[in-house]
Coordinates of all heavy atoms in Angstrom, one line a residue:
E744 N 15.0 -17.2 -27.0 CA 15.3 -17.6 -25.7 C 15.9 -19.0 -25.8 O 15.9 -19.6 -26.9 CB 14.0 -17.8 -24.9 CG 13.3 -16.4 -24.6 CD 14.1 -15.6 -23.4 OE1 14.8 -16.3 -22.7 OE2 13.9 -14.4 -23.4
Q745 N 16.6 -19.5 -24.8 CA 17.2 -20.8 -24.8 C 16.1 -21.8 -24.1 O 15.4 -21.4 -23.2 CB 18.5 -20.8 -24.1 CG 18.4 -20.5 -22.7 CD 19.9 -20.6 -22.1 OE1 20.9 -20.8 -22.7 NE2 20.0 -20.5 -20.7
S746 N 16.1 -23.0 -24.6 CA 15.2 -24.0 -24.1 C 16.0 -25.3 -23.8 O 17.1 -25.6 -24.6 CB 14.1 -24.4 -25.1 OG 13.2 -23.3 -25.2
W747 N 15.7 -26.0 -22.8 CA 16.3 -27.3 -22.5 C 15.7 -28.5 -23.2 O 14.5 -28.6 -23.3 CB 16.1 -27.5 -20.9 CG 16.7 -28.8 -20.5 CD1 16.1 -30.0 -20.3 CD2 18.1 -29.0 -20.0 NE1 17.0 -30.9 -19.8 CE2 18.2 -30.3 -19.6 CE3 19.2 -28.0 -19.8 CZ2 19.4 -30.9 -19.1 CZ3 20.4 -28.7 -19.3 CH2 20.5 -29.9 -18.9
M748 N 16.6 -29.2 -23.8 CA 16.2 -30.5 -24.4 C 16.7 -31.7 -23.6 O 17.9 -31.7 -23.3 CB 16.7 -30.6 -25.9 CG 16.1 -31.8 -26.6 SD 16.8 -32.0 -28.3 CE 18.4 -32.7 -27.9
S749 N 15.8 -32.4 -23.1 CA 16.1 -33.5 -22.2 C 16.3 -34.8 -23.1 O 15.3 -35.0 -23.9 CB 15.0 -33.7 -21.1 OG 15.5 -34.7 -20.3
V750 N 17.3 -35.6 -22.8 CA 17.5 -36.9 -23.5 C 17.3 -38.0 -22.5 O 17.8 -38.2 -21.5 CB 18.9 -37.0 -24.2 CG1 19.1 -38.3 -24.8 CG2 19.0 -35.8 -25.1
R751 N 16.3 -38.9 -22.9 CA 15.9 -40.0 -22.0 C 16.8 -41.2 -22.4 O 16.8 -41.7 -23.5 CB 14.5 -40.4 -22.1 CG 13.9 -41.5 -21.4 CD 12.5 -41.7 -21.5 NE 12.0 -41.7 -22.9 CZ 11.0 -41.1 -23.3 NH1 10.2 -40.4 -22.5 NH2 10.6 -41.1 -24.6
A752 N 17.6 -41.7 -21.4 CA 18.4 -42.8 -21.8 C 17.7 -44.0 -21.9 O 16.7 -44.2 -21.2 CB 19.5 -42.9 -20.7
V753 N 18.2 -45.0 -22.7 CA 17.5 -46.2 -22.9 C 17.8 -47.2 -21.8 O 19.0 -47.4 -21.6 CB 17.7 -46.8 -24.2 CG1 17.1 -48.2 -24.3 CG2 17.3 -45.9 -25.4
S754 N 16.9 -47.6 -21.0 CA 17.2 -48.5 -19.9 C 17.2 -50.0 -20.4 O 16.5 -50.2 -21.3 CB 16.2 -48.3 -18.8 OG 15.0 -48.6 -19.2
R755 N 17.9 -50.8 -19.7 CA 18.0 -52.3 -20.1 C 17.3 -53.1 -19.2 O 17.4 -53.0 -18.0 CB 19.5 -52.7 -20.1 CG 20.3 -51.8 -21.0 CD 21.6 -52.3 -21.2 NE 22.5 -51.5 -22.2 CZ 23.6 -51.9 -22.7 NH1 24.1 -53.1 -22.5 NH2 24.3 -51.1 -23.5
S756 N 16.3 -53.8 -19.7 CA 15.6 -54.7 -18.8 C 15.8 -56.1 -19.1 O 15.6 -56.6 -20.2 CB 14.0 -54.3 -19.1 OG 13.2 -55.2 -18.4
W757 N 16.2 -56.9 -18.1 CA 16.4 -58.3 -18.3 C 15.1 -59.1 -18.1 O 15.0 -60.3 -18.3 CB 17.3 -58.7 -17.2 CG 18.8 -58.3 -17.4 CD1 19.2 -57.0 -17.0 CD2 19.7 -58.7 -18.2 NE1 20.5 -56.8 -17.3 CE2 20.9 -57.8 -18.2 CE3 19.8 -59.9 -19.0 CZ2 22.1 -58.1 -18.9 CZ3 21.0 -60.1 -19.7 CH2 22.1 -59.2 -19.7
S758 N 14.1 -58.4 -17.7 CA 12.9 -59.2 -17.4 C 11.8 -59.2 -18.4 O 10.8 -59.9 -18.4 CB 12.2 -58.7 -16.0 OG 12.0 -57.3 -16.2
S759 N 11.9 -58.1 -19.5 CA 10.9 -58.0 -20.4 C 11.1 -58.9 -21.6 O 12.2 -59.1 -22.1 CB 10.9 -56.5 -20.9 OG 10.7 -55.6 -19.9
F760 N 10.1 -59.4 -22.1 CA 9.9 -60.2 -23.3 C 11.0 -61.4 -23.3 O 11.9 -61.3 -24.0 CB 10.2 -59.3 -24.6 CG 9.3 -58.1 -24.6 CD1 9.9 -56.9 -24.9 CD2 8.0 -58.2 -24.3 CE1 9.1 -55.8 -24.9 CE2 7.3 -57.1 -24.4 CZ 7.8 -55.9 -24.7
P761 N 10.9 -62.3 -22.4 CA 11.8 -63.4 -22.5 C 11.8 -64.2 -23.8 O 12.9 -64.6 -24.2 CB 11.4 -64.2 -21.2 CG 10.0 -63.8 -21.0 CD 9.9 -62.4 -21.4
I762 N 10.7 -64.3 -24.3 CA 10.6 -65.0 -25.6 C 11.4 -64.3 -26.7 O 12.1 -64.9 -27.6 CB 9.1 -65.2 -26.1 CG1 8.4 -66.1 -25.0 CG2 9.0 -65.9 -27.5 CD1 7.0 -66.2 -25.3
I763 N 11.2 -62.9 -26.7 CA 11.9 -62.1 -27.8 C 13.4 -62.3 -27.6 O 14.2 -62.5 -28.6 CB 11.6 -60.7 -27.6 CG1 10.2 -60.4 -27.9 CG2 12.6 -59.8 -28.3 CD1 9.7 -59.0 -27.7
L764 N 13.9 -62.4 -26.3 CA 15.3 -62.5 -26.1 C 15.9 -63.9 -26.7 O 16.9 -63.9 -27.4 CB 15.7 -62.6 -24.6 CG 15.3 -61.3 -23.9 CD1 15.7 -61.4 -22.4 CD2 16.1 -60.1 -24.5
V765 N 15.2 -65.0 -26.5 CA 15.5 -66.3 -27.0 C 15.7 -66.2 -28.6 O 16.5 -66.7 -29.2 CB 14.6 -67.3 -26.6 CG1 14.9 -68.7 -27.2 CG2 14.6 -67.6 -25.1
I766 N 14.5 -65.7 -29.2 CA 14.4 -65.6 -30.6 C 15.5 -64.8 -31.2 O 16.2 -65.2 -32.2 CB 13.0 -65.2 -31.0 CG1 12.0 -66.3 -30.6 CG2 13.0 -65.0 -32.6 CD1 10.5 -65.9 -31.0
I767 N 15.8 -63.6 -30.7 CA 16.8 -62.7 -31.2 C 18.2 -63.3 -31.0 O 19.0 -63.2 -31.8 CB 16.7 -61.3 -30.4 CG1 15.5 -60.7 -30.9 CG2 18.0 -60.5 -30.8 CD1 15.3 -59.3 -30.3
G768 N 18.3 -64.2 -29.9 CA 19.6 -64.9 -29.8 C 19.8 -65.9 -30.9 O 20.8 -66.0 -31.5
L769 N 18.7 -66.6 -31.3 CA 18.8 -67.5 -32.4 C 19.1 -66.8 -33.7 O 19.9 -67.2 -34.6 CB 17.4 -68.3 -32.5 CG 17.2 -69.3 -31.4 CD1 15.7 -69.9 -31.5 CD2 18.2 -70.3 -31.3
I770 N 18.5 -65.6 -33.9 CA 18.6 -64.8 -35.1 C 20.1 -64.4 -35.2 O 20.8 -64.5 -36.2 CB 17.8 -63.5 -35.1 CG1 16.4 -64.0 -35.3 CG2 18.3 -62.6 -36.3 CD1 15.4 -62.8 -35.1
C771 N 20.7 -64.0 -34.1 CA 22.1 -63.6 -34.0 C 23.0 -64.8 -34.5 O 24.0 -64.6 -35.2 CB 22.6 -63.2 -32.6 SG 22.0 -61.6 -32.2
R772 N 22.7 -66.0 -34.0 CA 23.6 -67.1 -34.5 C 23.5 -67.4 -35.9 O 24.4 -67.7 -36.6 CB 23.1 -68.4 -33.7 CG 23.9 -69.7 -34.0 CD 23.5 -70.8 -33.2 NE 23.8 -70.6 -31.7 CZ 24.9 -70.8 -31.2 NH1 26.0 -71.3 -31.9 NH2 25.1 -70.6 -29.9
V773 N 22.2 -67.3 -36.4 CA 22.1 -67.5 -37.8 C 22.8 -66.4 -38.6 O 23.5 -66.8 -39.7 CB 20.5 -67.4 -38.2 CG1 20.4 -67.5 -39.8 CG2 19.8 -68.6 -37.6
I774 N 22.7 -65.2 -38.2 CA 23.4 -64.1 -38.9 C 24.9 -64.4 -38.9 O 25.6 -64.2 -40.0 CB 23.1 -62.8 -38.3 CG1 21.6 -62.5 -38.5 CG2 24.0 -61.7 -38.8 CD1 21.2 -61.2 -37.7
I775 N 25.5 -64.7 -37.8 CA 26.9 -64.9 -37.7 C 27.4 -66.1 -38.7 O 28.5 -66.0 -39.3 CB 27.4 -65.2 -36.3 CG1 27.1 -63.9 -35.4 CG2 28.8 -65.5 -36.1 CD1 27.2 -64.1 -33.9
M776 N 26.5 -67.2 -38.7 CA 27.0 -68.3 -39.4 C 26.8 -68.0 -41.0 O 27.7 -68.4 -41.7 CB 26.0 -69.5 -39.2 CG 26.3 -70.1 -37.7 SD 25.0 -71.3 -37.3 CE 25.4 -72.5 -38.5
I777 N 25.9 -67.2 -41.4 CA 25.8 -66.9 -42.8 C 26.7 -65.8 -43.2 O 27.3 -65.9 -44.2 CB 24.3 -66.5 -43.1 CG1 23.5 -67.8 -42.7 CG2 24.2 -66.1 -44.5 CD1 22.0 -67.5 -43.0
N778 N 26.7 -64.7 -42.6 CA 27.5 -63.5 -42.9 C 28.2 -62.9 -41.8 O 27.8 -63.1 -40.6 CB 26.6 -62.4 -43.6 CG 26.1 -62.8 -44.9 OD1 26.9 -63.3 -45.7 ND2 24.9 -62.5 -45.2
P779 N 29.3 -62.3 -42.0 CA 30.0 -61.6 -41.0 C 29.0 -60.5 -40.5 O 28.3 -60.0 -41.3 CB 31.3 -61.0 -41.6 CG 31.5 -61.9 -42.8 CD 30.1 -62.3 -43.3
P780 N 29.2 -60.0 -39.3 CA 28.3 -58.9 -38.8 C 28.7 -57.6 -39.6 O 29.7 -57.4 -40.0 CB 28.7 -58.8 -37.3 CG 29.4 -60.1 -37.0 CD 30.1 -60.6 -38.2
L781 N 27.5 -56.8 -39.7 CA 27.6 -55.6 -40.2 C 28.0 -54.6 -39.2 O 27.5 -54.6 -38.1 CB 26.4 -55.2 -40.9 CG 25.9 -55.9 -42.2 CD1 24.6 -55.5 -42.7 CD2 26.9 -55.6 -43.2
Y782 N 29.0 -53.6 -39.5 CA 29.3 -52.5 -38.6 C 28.9 -51.3 -39.3 O 29.2 -51.0 -40.4 CB 30.7 -52.5 -38.2 CG 31.1 -53.8 -37.4 CD1 31.5 -55.0 -38.0 CD2 30.9 -53.8 -36.1 CE1 31.8 -56.1 -37.2 CE2 31.2 -54.9 -35.3 CZ 31.6 -56.1 -35.9 OH 31.9 -57.2 -35.2
C783 N 28.1 -50.4 -38.6 CA 27.6 -49.2 -39.3 C 28.3 -48.0 -38.7 O 28.7 -47.9 -37.5 CB 26.1 -49.1 -38.9 SG 25.2 -50.4 -39.7
N784 N 28.5 -47.0 -39.6 CA 28.8 -45.7 -39.1 C 27.9 -45.1 -38.2 O 26.8 -45.4 -38.1 CB 29.0 -44.8 -40.4 CG 29.5 -43.4 -40.1 OD1 28.9 -42.6 -39.5 ND2 30.8 -43.3 -40.5
K785 N 28.3 -44.1 -37.4 CA 27.4 -43.6 -36.4 C 26.2 -42.9 -37.0 O 25.2 -42.7 -36.3 CB 28.2 -42.6 -35.5 CG 29.1 -43.3 -34.5 CD 29.7 -42.3 -33.5 CE 30.4 -43.0 -32.4 NZ 30.8 -42.3 -31.3
Q786 N 26.4 -42.4 -38.2 CA 25.2 -41.9 -38.9 C 24.4 -43.1 -39.4 O 24.5 -43.4 -40.6 CB 25.6 -41.0 -40.0 CG 26.4 -39.7 -39.6 CD 25.6 -39.0 -38.6 OE1 24.4 -38.8 -38.7 NE2 26.3 -38.3 -37.7
F787 N 23.8 -43.9 -38.6 CA 23.3 -45.2 -38.9 C 22.1 -45.2 -39.8 O 21.5 -46.2 -40.1 CB 23.1 -46.0 -37.6 CG 22.1 -45.5 -36.8 CD1 20.7 -45.9 -36.9 CD2 22.3 -44.5 -35.8 CE1 19.8 -45.5 -36.0 CE2 21.3 -44.0 -35.0 CZ 20.0 -44.5 -35.1

Side-chain angles (χ1 to χ4, degrees):
E744 295 283 337
Q745 62 179 9
S746 291
W747 176 268
M748 185 181 77
S749 179
V750 177
R751 178 174 51 221
V753 178
S754 62
R755 303 188 177 195
S756 173
W757 294 91
S758 60
S759 300
F760 309 134
I762 299 176
I763 292 176
L764 299 179
V765 175
I766 294 175
I767 290 180
L769 294 175
I770 291 173
C771 285
R772 182 177 295 277
V773 173
I774 292 172
I775 294 170
M776 292 174 63
I777 297 176
N778 286 318
L781 288 176
Y782 293 93
C783 297
N784 186 281
K785 285 193 175 184
Q786 302 296 329
F787 67 91

